[in-house]
Amino acid sequence: SQTIHQWPATLVQPVGSPLSLECTVEGTSNPNLYWYRQAAGRGLQLLFYSVGIGQISSEVPQNLSASRPQDRQFILSSKKLLLSDSGFYLCAWSSGGIPPAETQYFGPGTRLLVL
Amino acid sequence: QKEVEQDPGPLSVPEGAIVSLNCTYSNSAFQYFMWYRQYSRKGPELLMYTYSSGNKEDGRFTAQVDKSSKYISLFIRDSQPSDSATYLCAMDQFYFGTGTSLTVIP
């Protein structure tokens, strides 16, 4: 069966520090991968998605970036965190079909607090 | 206007009650409609998935889509304390509501 891992589970970082969040998927190959941010009262916001190694699409311009160095690994990064980057970051995968018909499966999330 | 509107609640019901959760949307081109359940501090998990209009039933859960009114619903019958969670609607994979917080009181 497929599983999705995210770490760390919780992170407290000072403003201006760098960020690296990692997501890995097991039990499937060539998945579509997604990064979302969930802020209180604002629902899920799609940040990035990837249909293959090295292929990243950005949905929201901001100081975050994403990379996909391996088929089942997705990394969310920032060079300098802002207070507004605080939130719950969720990684998700789908089986590699064509949106919008895809079912997504979410990881456990990383709670980020920027102080 | 947001593309997807969902009443955040909170909603509190006694055990055994029928729960109705709703979302409205503005984009008539949406074709796929999902409901996710999210427990506190966890990632969302898919509950129901519906294509176009109509009803879909899965155990105690029924999803209903009315494209003419741009309105979708999730009904939970015989609600249980374990149903206490936030319920998110989603459309065409990427468009999410803000979630409705539900508490079922034993």
Side-chain angles (χ1 to χ4, degrees), chain A residues 28-92:
Chain A
T28 187
S29 57
N30 196 31
N32 288 347
L33 296 172
Y34 312 87
W35 278 112
Y36 286 87
R37 178 168 57 205
Q38 187 175 32
R42 298 187 63 183
L44 270 70
Q45 179 187 33
L46 179 65
L47 302 175
F48 302 95
Y49 70 92
S50 171
V51 299
I53 295 174
Q55 299 178 63
I56 308 295
S57 296
S58 174
E59 293 296 308
V60 182
Q62 57 206 326
N63 69 319
L64 299 172
S65 62
S67 61
R68 185 171 176 174
Q70 299 180 43
D71 181 44
R72 289 169 289 177
Q73 184 185 30
F74 206 21
I75 297 172
L76 182 70
S77 305
S78 174
K79 292 182 180 176
K80 285 186 178 181
L81 283 169
L82 307 173
L83 286 173
S84 57
D85 291 325
S86 294
F88 191 43
Y89 288 82
L90 289 155
C91 180

Side-chain angles (χ1 to χ4, degrees), chain B residues 58-70:
Chain B
D58 184 2
R60 297 185 294 110
F61 298 90
T62 300
Q64 200 170 72
V65 175
D66 182 350
K67 291 192 74 177
S68 62
S69 302
K70 298 180 192 166

Side-chain angles (χ1 to χ4, degrees), chain B residues 21-25 27-35 48-57 62-75 89-92:
Chain B
L21 304 167
N22 311 294
C23 288
T24 59
Y25 61 94
N27 189 344
S28 58
F30 286 147
Q31 299 181 72
Y32 298 89
F33 305 90
M34 285 74 74
W35 285 97
M48 302 284 285
Y49 176 100
T50 309
Y51 171 69
S52 195
S53 284
N55 291 3
K56 186 173 183 179
E57 191 172 319
T62 300
Q64 200 170 72
V65 175
D66 182 350
K67 291 192 74 177
S68 62
S69 302
K70 298 180 192 166
Y71 188 88
I72 69 170
S73 301
L74 177 71
F75 298 96
C89 63
M91 308 190 185
D92 279 12

